[in-house]
Every structure is written in structure tokens, then in C-alpha cells.
Amino acid sequence: MSTDQDEADIGPVEPSSAIGNGSLAASGVELQQRGEERGLESGQNRSFGASNGEISEVEEEDSKAITADHDKFDDYADLHQGGETVKEHNEEEASIKALEEPSSADGSTSVPDDLPSARSSILGSSPGRSSLPRRGVSPTPSLRPFDRRFRARISPSPLGSPRALSPGFLSPHSRQSSVASRTLQELQDDEVDTPESAWEVIRWTRLKKLSGQAFSEKGKRSFGRPTCMTVSASIILGTSRGIILVFDYHQSLKTIIGPGTKALECGSITSIAVSADQSSVAGGHSSGDIFTWEIAKPARPLLHIPPTELARLRGSDSDGHVSGVSILHLGFLGTRHTALVSADVKGMAFSHIASRGMSMVARSVHTTRILGRYPDTAPSALKPKRPSSVLAFASLPLGSAEHSTDSMGIVAMLTPYLLVIVSTTPVAQTQHKSARPKELAAHGAMSAALAWYPAVQVKNSDQVASDKPSSIKLAYCWSTMLMILEVSEIEVSDGSGKDKPPDLLFQVRKRWKAEEAIVAIQWLSRSVLGVMTITQQLIILEDASLKVTDSSDLIRRHIYHIDIFSQQLSQLIEKLDEEDTSMHGVVADAFYMSFRAYKGRLFMLGFNDVSVGSMSNWADRLLALMEQGNFIGAIRLATSYFNGETDKATVGLPENDSSRHNVVRDKLVEMMSASLRYAFGKNQEAGIRRVSEDQLVELAAACTLACISLEDMDFLFEDVYAWYEDGKLQSVVLEKLESHILGGEITVIPPSIIKDLINHFVSQGWNSRLEEILCRLNSETLDLDQVTTLCRQYNLYDALLYVWNQALRDYTTILKELLDLGSDARTGSLDAGNVEAAQKVFPYLSYILTSRVYPIGSPLPEEQAVIAKAEIYHFLFSGNRGKAVNGTSGKQMPGSTFPNLEIILDLDAPSFLSMLNEAFEDNFLNGPLESSDMDEASLTDVQRWGMTLNRQLIISILFEIMVTPRYQPEEIVYMDMFVARNLPKFPQYILLSGSILHRVLGDLCKYSSAEIADDCQLSVEYLLSVYQPPDLLSLIPLFKQARFFRVMKSIYKAERQYPLLLETCFQDDENPGSIFECIGDCLRPGAGLTDIQVQSIRNIIVQNAEKLVSADLERAAVTIQQYAADLQAVVLDVLEGDEHSQYQYLRTILEPQSPSVSDGNQLISFSKNRFVEQYVRLLCDYDREHVRDYVETLKAGDLRLEAVVPALESSGAIDAAVILMAREGKVREASERITQHLGTLEAALIGLLDAATDAPDPASTQETADYLVEQMDKYIRVGIWLCQGQSKTASQPIALVKRPRPNRKRSMEEELSVDENLWLDLIDAVVQITRNVSTVLESRSGTPTAGSNGQTQQTSIMKVFDRSKLLTSLRTTVQDTFTALLGATSMPSTGDPHRKNMAFLRILRAFLNRASESSPSLSNLRTVLGAIFSAYSYEESLLDLANRLLDKDLFVHVQEVTALRKRGWRPLGQVCEGCGQRVWGPGAGGTIWDAWADKQNQTKPVDLAEDTAPAAGNGKGKATVREEEQAERIPVSPSGQGERNIGDKILIIFSCRHLFHRRCLEEMHSTSNKGESEGDGPSPPVVSLYACPLCT
């Protein structure tokens, strides 16, 4: 379809062809055949005729238009005559029809259930077998036959059928698309291919005649360029020369206002407004003047409101706009022509009310300031005021219903900070204020817009006008946040407010956040909003849910927009406010003067034209699909319209279901009829199939769903099915019916189609699916003879049972047929093919006897359920009254007391008893008084007998029948289990003698298969709960032989024979946990056992200690520790030889994880030491890293050093040995152990360094070295801990050994105390390790050696080790040691503080003395000593670092602000100011990306020599740098076109925010300088300094 028409005459349109009435004109449909390969293609565009005439004012609701006469669809056959089009279309489309009042229907999309029906249901009864199961064995013994419940194969609660939704016709990435369609497209599985844009969201028409007069060169010279627009009964334009142009809807210029008046001297028209009666117009000028005019009398103004000089306003009581400030907004108040409100660019707003003066001509105007402050001329020392402006402004228009606000003169204004709503009459008063939302994104575009929707008369669901008008709504937004504000009147009950203005209530009802800033808002109807964003994308919102329903790209419409507010608000947006960062950013251009809506139509002022657009309604969208040949998509979309699954308000459909159905029903039926005729080629080209097989399948699905929605099954089976049957494709419709039948949407099908359905599904092998279908149909409408015959023919017994039961209320006839199939079970000659059918008896009986419909599982009606149960119980338990026959011979079986019951028991006794166990739970068997309230006279003898049956009689009959030798013991045991389970549940209904119950107990203990052993034991437990044998203990051997340990435990526990109970627990291998529970119950305090019993329990534990630990090692340890701690040694001896089990056992005792377990302190003292020592030795083997942590928790005397120290040393847990020795007071020995171990680690590290150059795996060698260093650090810290502990324990000062001065040659170490000597030994060992390792590293680093080939090789270990890392680690250890020493020796002492303070120096002097003796030259200690003393400057370094961090933090905020200011400028628009081509943002196209990719591929590496080369020129002074070289290097392709292809896409933006292609800018500069460059030789190169041609 064409999106633009060249010109349209905007005259009145007949109601039958109006867009708003939902007509589907088939005159525009043309479907042409292009060949089988190409399929369907769309035909010509539709056309709606429009005749000339005056515009008609239509104030009725859309419901009247919708119920008007509708155009009918033409037959598809009439649209094709020899491949030529039937009628020619008009060249121009009439876009503006009679402007009806928009529909007030609101609605939202509802998505139906789209889950498919599950065809695979759970199998019931016994699974299918190829041979007869062995008699006497439960078919599912592992599932406990008496615990399961029978289920039929068919699921009792099918899922909903997959309802096909309306298709998505547009790509999700399209800029012009329907959001509702995109959602439906995602849910649609198989979609018919459709073009990207099946319909236009907005049908735009360019008003060519009007644009030719207003935008032509002649028009611009005469009137000026159009600057603003408003729309009512006329289209009114304001121009840059101060002239107002009034056009009618035929695009004729009716009136020119302004020529020859003072208005021409006041500058351009910057705002325009029309009065409520559309007879007057007001214009605001850039000078601040306001003129009002009568359209019929344009010769002179009705009113002139001049501006006032700012100096005159100061000290004066008068108000008014300041001279030279542009009037941005105007509005009339109520119905008056002389009451206006206005706002200017400086943020000031005024109300102007004129009254008649002393003469007939003069008028006085009273102006009141309602917003803003006058600017200050003198600078103020106070904080400067923030700049402001009125970004959006609108006065409340009059609606179709009277409202109390009509006389209040309500006006809404949006500033950068507030929403302000003011009433101007009788006095100016602020009614509501709302602040700018804080959640707006920072550094975005500042924009604002608002639009009122007045109170209108609404209709209820019965289309009757309501007495109460609708609420007033205000849609307003800042940037990306849109809010809907409802205004209502607060009712006053006492009547005191009749003479006062009404009190209004303002409530924000909805919020919606857009992806980009919003620049304009207009109401298209009471329920639909049109929103335009900063990228000129039109978004359609539904008011009820604020859901996006459609979107359309307007960028190619070139909407007129100008920058009005950036100069006024520059100080606000350029200054970052920390409290509100959302103010910082850019100011969007103003669009409000170019985007208008009137009676559901959108009017748009562009730079070069005026356009009008209307939304595509439901009829237009269906017609668009039909024109494209997508009749399937059209049917689906129409179905969604009928069901109300789309945005009804957006597409123009009523909210009321009945009204909507009446509108859409006929069109949907016509579309299906025409589509079927076309699809099967019933036209001039009959016999040729017009569409593909896949399309026919989709058409069948669409028509089926449509007929279900219409509830028109006659059309489905008489028309749709007939078309497919004639085309030999009835199978397509039959398969599509399946999901809807299973979903319960179709329950009645004609008999002829039922026959076709059965034959088709059987031919495909879908018998199970067919049964499920038949069970979902209404059996009362089926042909019983036909269905039952076919079911028997194809063995569909589930369906046969369902149909027979529901239609005839007969529950035994088919049951007898199934039993006949299994009557040969006793002889073992049952045919394998009848096994599955015969096994259906059991789920069938289970369903019927528990009041469920077989096989679907729905509840049976109470009366029907009682009759069904009575008949079945009579059939099974009435004795010889039923005639059972042999399935082979056909003769009655002789000697059968209950023949039918015997047959079913012979078939599968376990399954029958399991079914009967389920049936016993039903109240029907409680007795005649409780089972029925039915009229006795209406019952038959069979039903009366069945209703007298009870549980006692059934069990008696079963005892009578199930006896040997007819039934084997392995079969009778199921009868015993059945009795044992039901007797405790129904003791008041079942009475059995003790002998019978005793026999049952014995039989249950003699089960034949281990598979049912647990079931038998459970049955015995059930029976013993209500039956107490007189000699219960005599049955113990029988229970023990049967291994019924649970039964034995319960008996022993009841008899308080606890030793036997514990022995039984040890014998029960299946429940070893009961051992520990039994021990705890018996030995816990207060258990009440005698001493003999307790001793017996302890003896049993000792005898079964091995079983105890094998059951659960950790739980055994916990239990014995808690209840018999003195037996731990006995239990631990059992684990002799299994050290790992001993380790786990002792860990549980000595280091319990549970807080309820004691920590081993209850152990006897001599045993505890043994356990602790053994546990420490085991820890050395299984958890060496945990040894130290454990020994730290021990106390002195918990173990013997000589017993554990050898194990600790052999395992390498030296730290643990040191801790133990220190705890025993052997500090000197512990220190020597540490020193010795450090020496061992040093030797290992040096040896590793020496052999490093020959190491085959350098990585592993480095890892070993790191481990050794880590171990050194670990044991050095243990030494520090030891020294620190000794220093703390030295409470008294140790006397120094005083020597005469002449004898000072003695060692200085003799003057040190014990703790000081420990520090000296540790420091000496640490420094010695560091010095020796450093020496080896330095001697092995970088030493060249001669290789075998005579060449020099580098043998440096630097290739293997990280030398700096090793040295750093060692030196850090030295620093930590000296730091610890300093901390330990600097603490105050209660003894001799002077000596304590001098301890560090004495230790250091002794260390240096010892070092001098071992190494006369201290040069090799220089590095080590430097590392020592660097520890003392560490604190100073931290302070210096903290100061530098604080200093750095002072500049962080300044840096952030600078970065924000350097973010760049946001362009005013998305197009180049030179060529008008879109250069960024959505819709810019893929050429920009391609150019960027080409540039990346062509970019060459920049040579350093080229970058550092001098500038081009003669080598003297500064050369002129070309802009290309300064901006970026553009590589040149071999063809020489690289710079041109890529350079064309380079953009230049100025601080004024004008955007240009560089090529366009250079052309504009060259054009302006053309005169200067002519005759002066070649033009000079374009330099990097540009100036904006629009601003200079």
C-alpha cells in the first residue's frame, strides 16, 4: 500500500465508507494467480471515495458508526476475470473522513491457554502383556498392590487445547509495527508468511493543495514561513510574518488574518489558539503581543494585549508579559472569547480577562500573574535564582458532558521543576503541584509535554448513557516518565459548598517509562494516547494499561521543530547539581506546535508540508491482509477481535462483548466462505488448486477455531468440512478437530463425520488417540449402533465402555463381554490378543465403584453412581443369578456358585483384591440406610439387592470361594492381606472370629515370594492393631522364621522385654538404625529398666560390638559415648587392625561435631589418656595439618610426651611437638627443636637451589621452593609464639650475672635471661637462613659456563626460580621476627622497667656479637640489617600513603565534573542540516555500519616515523594542517576511492548543536567563498577550523 497520497480532498464521507465504522470494503481486494511456484500475491490498493461538500460535525459515539451498514465482501470468484482487475482504483485516497467522536471503549489483551493436550496418559490396571501372567503373583508386587490406585489410560483432566492466536504480521525490529501483533507472532508456532508491514499503523496523507499555498515560494513571500499550527473545524497556521492562515477541510484558504494591521509589526506568530465555538482565534507574537480575532471579521483584532516594559512593571500593580519575550503558549478559557491564558519563554504565565469599557469600542483587560517571577535587573548577593521556562502548557477544554470545572478556567503548566495546575476563575488559585520525578536518568534530554482529555458522556455495557460523566484526565511527562493524572470532584454531603468553587481531587493513576525522551503527547480518544519521542517515533498507548500497542516512524515526515528553551535553560543544564543529576544534559527541541490531534485524527506540521493521519482500525487491518492474499492471517486476526484478545480500544472495537460480536461475526463468516471458495478454486478456473497443502492445513485450523469462537458448529461441519471433503482432504479437518475435542470445546459431531473420524484414525494406527476423542464427546448425540460396532471392530473398549455407560446407563453388559475374553484364564489358554482388553476390567470397576466416569475420571452424578454400583455388586456377588459361560464352549460353567466373581479372580486375583480394597473406602458399602436416599419404587430388584450388600458379606463370599484346592496358597495370601488391611479400617462393619484371624496370621507368615514379604509384614501389623491373640508369644518363632522383625520389635517393646528387643534389632539387617534407637531408649536416664536388664543390654552390646560398628561407625561412637562410655575400650578393640576406622571412631568421640555429644571428658582417666595418645598418632597419618590445632586444645597431663613426640617428629608435625613440649615446661628443648627443624628446611632449600640448573621440571622445582619457604615461615611463627609466651610468663626479673669490668671478654650472652636467649636463638637462625640463601642465589645468578659444544651457556637459576620473590619472602620473615621482638620487649613490666626497655638492645647487641664471631666482616649482613630496620619505617610509610590518598580524593569530584563537561554536545536532530539525510539513530540504515567496517578493514598501522615527521611545508614556521589529517587518517584504497567513500560519512557538530556531514559543510563553505576564490588560482585547502553556516 502506498503510505502517502499526493493530495486528498477533505470533504464529508458517506457513513458506509467511513473508516471509523469498521467496514470491510471488498471492492479493493484483488487476488491474482502468478503460478504455483509464486502462490498468492496481493492485488491493487483499496480506495474509499470522497465527495465534495462541507464538513459534517459528528458528535455521536463510535458505537453508532460501528452498527451502521457494513460493506459486504465480494466473492473471490468475482475478483478474477481472466487475470484482469475488476475495477480501477482512484488515484488519490481520501484520508480525512467525517470526524466521528472516538470510541470510548477500553480493554486489554487476554492471552488464552496455548498448552497442547497431553495424548499420552498414565497406564491403568496391569500393563499389557503378550502372555497370561502367572496365577497367584501380584502384577506389580514392588508397588504394594493394596497401596496403589487404578487409573485409566486416558488422563482424567486433559489440558486445554492449543488455541491458535492471531498471527504476527510485522517484524519485531520494524520501526512501524504493531506491538500486539509482535506478541502474537511470538506465540504462534506455524505462521503463514506475510510481508513485513501488512498494514499501516497510521495512514498519512499529505495535504498537497494546502501545502502548495502555504509552503510555496509565493506563499512564503506573501505570508511568511509557517511556524505553528492548531486544528479544530479548520486548519489554522501561524507564520513568521505575523499572519494567520485559516484553511477548511477542502484545503481552501478561507481567511487571511493580519495584513494591514498592527500584528505585522509584532514579529512572527509563536503560538496560536482557537476558541471553544471555533469562531475566534488568538495569536501570540515573538514581541510579547497577543491578538484575538474573529475569523469571520479578520479586518481588525477583537482584542490586543500588548506587552509592558520591565521598568514600568517594577513598583506597579499591573501585570503582563515583558516586552520582547516570545509568547510560547496560548489558550482560551471556557466558552468566552475574551478570556485567555498565556505563557512565555521566561517561565511566566498570565490570565487575561477582558471586559467592555466605557464605550462600545474600548475594552479593559485585567491581567493576573499565575506563574513565574519577573527577572531581576540588579545583581543580588543572595543565591541566584534558577532559570525556568514553561515547557508545556494547556488549558482544560470543554467536553461533551457538563462538569464543575467548566467555569473554573483550569490550566496546566510544566516547568523544568514542577507540574502546576491553576484555576483562574473567579480568582487565580493553585489547585495542584507535583515535583519532577527523581528516578529520571541523569545526563539525558530535558523535555516535557502534556495533554488534557475533558469529561465526556460515557455509556455502560448496555449502550445506555450514564448519568455520571467520565473523569478528567491529564497526561503529562518529563523526559522518559509519563504519568496519567485523574481529576475528580470531591462531593460535599452537607450542601455547604454550593456557592463555593468545587474541591478537586488529583490522583496519579498510571506511570509508564519510555526508552527515550518524550517531546509531544496527544489524546486520540478517551482510551488511546499518541506519544512522540525525541527520535520522532510515534507510539500508541492504551490508557487502561499503558501498554504499547503500535509504533510508527515519523522521521521521514520532517516534522517542524525548533530550539526554544536551550538558551533560557543553558545555566541549568550545563551546571551539574549533585542533588538532582537528572537536570544535567541537553534540552530537546520543541515539537508541541507541530503535533496536534482532533477527533481521532493526527495533524502534523512539517518543514515543507502539512499531513493528516488516522489510525488503522480493525476493518482496515483485515482488509490489508486480504489484499495481500493472507486470508488465513485475516481469519485468525478477526477471530482474536471477536474474542476480545486484542487492544479493542486501539482498533476501534467496543468493549462490550455483545456489541463486538455483532460487529465482527458477519465479517468473519464472510471471510471464511470467500477463503474456502478461493482456496479450492471454485471460480472460472475450477479444477485448479489455488493454494498449497500447508496453507490448506492452516486454513482448516483457522476456520475451526473461528467456528468454535462463533459457536457456529453448523458452519464448521456443513461448509468447512464439505469443502475439504469435496477436495479429498477431509483428513486435514479431522486431525484439527482432535485438540479442540480433547479441550472440551467441541462435544457434538454429526454421525457421518464420526464415522470418517474413526476410519481415518484407525487407518493411521491412532487407536489410543481415537479412544480419547470418543470419550470426550457427548454420548447422547452419537449413533450408538454405528459407534459400538466400530469400537468392537477395532477393539476400542475404553470408548465402548464410555459410550455404553453414558448413553444406555448399562454398566454390566460390556463388563460381561470383557470377562468372556478372560474366561479361559483357569486353563491357561487365554489368547494373547485378549489380555489387554480383559485387563481393562480392573480400572473400570475401580472407577465405577468409586463414583467416577470411566475412563475420563470425572465424578458420576450421585443417583447414577448408586445405580451403577448396585448393578455391578449384584453382577459380581449375586451367586447363580448371573449366568457365567465358558469363553471357549459357550456353555454355563458347572459348579460355579459365584461364576462371574470366579472368572475375574481366575483372571488376576491380586488386581481384583487391590481394586476391591479401593472400593471398600466408598460409603456405599456402609449399609442401605446410608447408601441411598432414592425412591424405592423406581428401583429394580437387581438394584435393591445390590444396595443391600455390605463389606461383611463380601468378605464372607471371598472366604467361601478362595479356598484350596481351587486356589493355591500364593493366591490366598492376597485375600489374607486384603482382610488384614480392611479390618482395622472398618471394625464396626466387619466381624470375624478369632480362629479365622489366627489362620490369617499364620498364612501371612507363610508367603511364597520374597517380593511380597514386606506387604505381608505390613498386613500383620495392621491386623495386630485390632486383634490380640491369646498366645501371642507362641507366634514369635513363626514371625522370626518369616523375618517379621518389625512385628517382633513391637511385641517385645509392648512386653517390656528389652534385651530380646535389642537382639532383634541386631538381627534386622534392613533397619540397622533401630539398633541405636533401641540402645538410647533402654539406657537413657529414667528408662525404668532393672539392673539385670541394663546388664543384659550391656552384655548384648559387647557380644554384638562388631555388628554395632558395621551398622554405622560414627553413630555407634556417639551412642556408646552418650549411654555407655565405659564400653568404648571394648568397642575400640573390635576395630583392631583397621586404623582408619579407629581414627574415625576416636574423632567422633574426642572432637564431636554435634553439640549434643560429649567431648570425651566422661571417659575414665586411664582410658582417656590412651585414647588421646592413640588419636594423636592416628592424626599424624590421616590429617597431619590438624595435629597442631588439636594439641592446642589439650590440657597438661592429657597425654605423655614420650608416647606421641616420636610420632609427631616422624610425621613432620614439629609445631605440634613444640606446643606440647612448651606446655610441659620444656621451653629450651622446644626452641632447639624449632632451630633444628629450620636448619633442616634451610639445607633442603639450599640443596634445591644448587640442583636447580639440572632440574627437568622448572615449574615443579619452583613449587617445591615455595613450599619450603612457606614451611619456614610457619615454623618461624611457631618460634615467635614460643618466645612471646615465655616473655609473658617471666613475671620476675632474672638477676643478671655481674662480672668485674676487667673481665668483659666473657660472652655477652651470659647477661641475657632465658626468654631473651630464646629470642636470640630464633633471630640468629632466621638471619642465618636469609643470609645463606641470599648468598647462594647471588653466587648462582648469571654465572656463564662452557657448554659441550664449546659455546657459552647461561646456568643462572634465574631461569628456574623467581629470585626476587624468594628474597622478599625471607626478608619479610626477618622483618616480622624483629617486629615481634620489638613488641614483646617494649611492654611495661611490673619488675624492672628499665631492664625491660633495654632488652631489645641487649638482644641486638648479642646478635651482632654472635654474627661478628661467625663472620668477621659485616658486609654480607648489610642487606639483612637494612631489611631489619626497614620494618621500623613501615608505619611512617603507611601514614604517608594515607596522606597521598586523601590528597588524591580531593580532585576526584573535579575530575568527574570535567569528564561530564567533555561528553560532547547532543545534536539538535538526527539529520544533516545540509542535505537532510538521516545520519544517526534508529532508521539511519546499514550504510553507516558498512562504512565503519570498511574503515576498520582499510586502516593501516601508523608508522612511528610518520607520526614524528615534521609538519608539511617548507620546514620553516608552522604549516597549515588539513582537517582530514587532524581529525583522523583515512586510508586510501588502491582504486583511490577510499577517502571519498568513508569521508562522506564523517560528521561535524558545533557547540550550537547543528550537525553536518563534513562533505556538505565543505560544499557550503566553498559556495560561500566562491566569489572570493574566483580568479585567484586554485582554491585553498579546507582547514580544520569551521564555522556553523547557520549561525554566522
Side-chain angles (χ1 to χ4, degrees), residues 1559-1581:
R1559 170 177 49 81
C1560 299
L1561 187 63
E1562 291 176 352
E1563 291 177 357
M1564 296 175 70
H1565 273 277
S1566 61
T1567 302
S1568 61
N1569 297 331
K1570 184 176 181 181
E1572 300 176 3
S1573 61
E1574 290 181 354
D1576 296 335
S1579 59

Side-chain angles (χ1 to χ4, degrees), residues 443-458:
H443 321 302
M446 178 179 290
S447 63
L450 58 80
W452 287 102
Y453 196 88
V456 295
Q457 198 72 33
V458 295

Side-chain angles (χ1 to χ4, degrees), residues 449-451 475-477 482 518-523 529-532 595:
L450 58 80
Y476 67 97
C477 70
L482 183 142
I518 301 171
V519 295
I521 302 175
Q522 290 293 326
W523 288 94
L529 266 173
V531 175
M532 187 168 66
F595 187 71

Side-chain angles (χ1 to χ4, degrees), residues 841-877:
V841 169
F842 305 108
Y844 170 71
L845 293 175
S846 174
Y847 272 53
I848 300 302
L849 296 181
T850 54
S851 305
R852 290 177 291 169
V853 177
Y854 181 82
I856 61 176
S858 59
L860 271 172
E862 182 179 0
E863 182 178 348
Q864 185 178 345
V866 170
I867 295 175
K869 296 173 189 177
E871 292 180 354
I872 287 180
Y873 280 126
H874 176 271
F875 177 81
L876 294 175
F877 299 101

Side-chain angles (χ1 to χ4, degrees), residues 162-166 631-643 645 661 664-665 667-673 676 698-716 720 736-737 740 745-746:
R163 296 177 59 88
L165 304 179
S166 58
F631 48 89
I632 298 173
I635 294 173
R636 287 175 174 170
L637 184 60
T639 304
S640 68
Y641 289 156
F642 184 87
N643 295 329
E645 297 167 353
H661 291 171
V664 182
R665 183 186 303 275
K667 302 308 173 187
L668 182 54
V669 173
E670 293 169 7
M671 289 168 63
M672 288 191 291
S673 300
L676 290 168
E698 293 296 329
L699 178 61
C703 291
T704 302
L705 181 60
C707 292
I708 293 173
S709 300
L710 294 172
E711 297 181 356
D712 190 355
M713 295 296 105
D714 293 338
F715 184 84
L716 175 61
V720 177
K736 292 299 178 182
L737 291 176
H740 300 289
E745 298 165 326
I746 297 178

